Amino acid sequence: MAVGKSAVGRRLARRLKRRFVDLDKAIEKAEGLKIREIFTAKGEPYFREREKQMLSEVLSKRGQVIATGGGVVMDDDNFRMLQDKSVMVCLQARTDVLLRRVGSGKQRPLLKGADKGKRIADLLQEREKRYSSAQVMIDTSDLGVDDVVEKIIGQLGPEI
């Protein structure tokens, strides 16, 4: 979270003349609720099942740039779908940068609790193995959106 997935994805899609899909926004539209409201009203297991359904639907189409939530890779089926049907790009940032970017964290259901820094570090550690399997990994801590897009294109080539 807060690494720039949506901003970078949107700009990358525009640059590549492709459709952009923010998976969380697609879920919100389908559910008529914000992600935090889904977590509160229906729980994380419900959200994760909706996320899996929406990911499958989105990945059935080609020629698009997709921004997923950071936890999507923790589900084995989701991870296999992403490996089989996409080029995975992992954006990351230092914990201090993420803390600054999330601010109060009130809009982030996974950051409930007193120590947001520890929670972010724990989530990153839990997800590290899956994240490290991405074809491209970029630290966005000290980069602007256009810089990140250039790095992605530089590593994957403009024909992606």
Side-chain angles (χ1 to χ4, degrees):
M1 70 184 73
V3 293
K5 294 180 300 289
S6 296
V8 169
R10 194 173 290 108
R11 190 88 42 97
L12 179 63
R14 192 175 316 130
R15 177 87 182 274
L16 298 174
K17 296 177 176 45
R18 295 186 179 191
R19 176 175 175 242
F20 173 68
V21 178
D22 183 312
L23 194 65
D24 283 352
K25 296 293 182 203
I27 294 167
E28 288 178 345
K29 184 177 179 184
E31 289 289 312
L33 297 168
K34 296 287 187 192
I35 298 299
R36 70 180 179 281
E37 295 170 331
I38 297 170
F39 267 74
T40 300
K42 300 180 178 185
E44 185 175 358
Y46 176 85
F47 170 76
R48 295 298 175 192
E49 189 56 39
R50 258 331 248 132
E51 183 179 55
K52 183 184 295 193
Q53 292 167 353
M54 190 63 68
L55 180 65
S56 178
E57 184 179 315
V58 168
L59 286 174
S60 71
K61 299 172 182 96
R62 298 182 49 84
Q64 55 194 352
V65 174
I66 306 164
T68 68
V72 74
V73 296
M74 296 311 292
D75 178 272
D76 290 339
D77 293 333
N78 290 348
F79 188 63
R80 275 191 295 279
M81 280 191 285
L82 287 165
Q83 286 182 310
D84 293 345
K85 298 181 178 186
S86 73
V87 174
M88 291 194 301
V89 174
C90 178
L91 303 181
Q92 46 194 141
R94 296 185 310 270
T95 303
D96 64 304
V97 172
L98 295 174
L99 268 172
R100 187 178 73 246
R101 290 178 184 172
V102 299
S104 70
K106 290 180 183 175
Q107 307 300 322
R108 312 277 183 168
L110 293 179
L111 288 186
K112 287 186 177 176
D115 191 344
K116 289 173 190 35
K118 181 175 180 348
R119 182 67 181 133
I120 288 171
D122 289 348
L123 285 170
L124 292 174
Q125 185 176 5
E126 288 170 18
R127 299 169 178 178
E128 181 179 13
K129 185 177 180 188
R130 296 279 170 102
Y131 285 176
S132 68
S133 70
Q135 287 92 330
V136 175
M137 294 186 75
I138 297 174
D139 188 325
T140 68
S141 298
D142 301 312
L143 298 174
V145 173
D146 288 324
D147 299 320
V148 176
V149 169
E150 288 303 319
K151 282 187 172 281
I152 293 169
I153 291 172
Q155 289 187 40
L156 294 176
E159 67 282 345
I160 55 172

